[in-house]
Amino acid sequence: MLEMTREEFEELVAEALDRIPPELTRLMDNVAVFVEDEPDPSDPQLLGLYEGTPLTERGEWYAGVLPDRITIYRGPTLRMCETREDVVAETEVTVVHEIAHHFGIDDERLHALGYG
């Protein structure tokens, strides 16, 4: 397995977030991004997870709720990648994938766009 400290991986996630176009980041609302070492044991290969209410499903009722949560998992990413460059690329794809869920884009569409 490729070795990378949590701090190094968090920096890669931050860099991937910085590459999201400002036109999109301005539209993001009430969402927080976290890095965890491992996902739930029931899905050990999960690279990222979006938990919340997508922007497309929010209505008048949406107020005073906790932020949506995007989690990027370090362990599965490092296990599937062979080089640091692979980790950079996979982290960027995963970050975009989870942010797309925040915008209401489903997995089928993301796979078609190459962010599966």
Side-chain angles (χ1 to χ4, degrees):
M1 180 171 96
L2 185 66
E3 294 293 323
M4 182 177 289
T5 68
R6 176 140 179 176
E7 292 76 21
E8 289 173 304
F9 189 77
E10 287 173 349
E11 182 61 32
L12 291 181
V13 171
E15 290 170 4
L17 287 167
D18 287 344
R19 285 190 289 277
I20 302 295
E23 308 82 57
L24 292 179
T25 57
R26 280 193 293 272
L27 297 172
M28 293 174 65
D29 182 46
N30 201 31
V31 61
V33 178
F34 298 91
V35 170
E36 297 290 340
D37 288 328
E38 296 292 337
D40 187 281
S42 66
D43 198 357
Q45 296 179 25
L46 187 67
L47 302 180
L49 180 64
Y50 170 76
E51 299 170 286
T53 304
L55 295 174
T56 54
E57 296 178 17
R58 295 180 185 179
E60 296 295 321
W61 59 269
Y62 189 85
V65 299
L66 291 174
D68 292 1
R69 181 181 177 101
I70 291 173
T71 307
I72 309 299
Y73 297 106
R74 183 175 71 100
T77 304
L78 295 180
R79 285 192 292 276
M80 75 173 288
C81 294
E82 294 183 16
T83 66
R84 179 178 173 81
E85 292 76 24
D86 292 343
V87 175
V88 170
E90 190 58 51
T91 300
E92 186 166 320
V93 167
T94 303
V95 167
V96 169
H97 182 106
E98 301 310 329
I99 288 174
H101 286 318
H102 176 68
F103 283 100
I105 302 172
D106 65 17
D107 281 331
E108 183 178 330
R109 181 71 177 132
L110 285 168
H111 285 268
L113 294 170
Y115 288 97

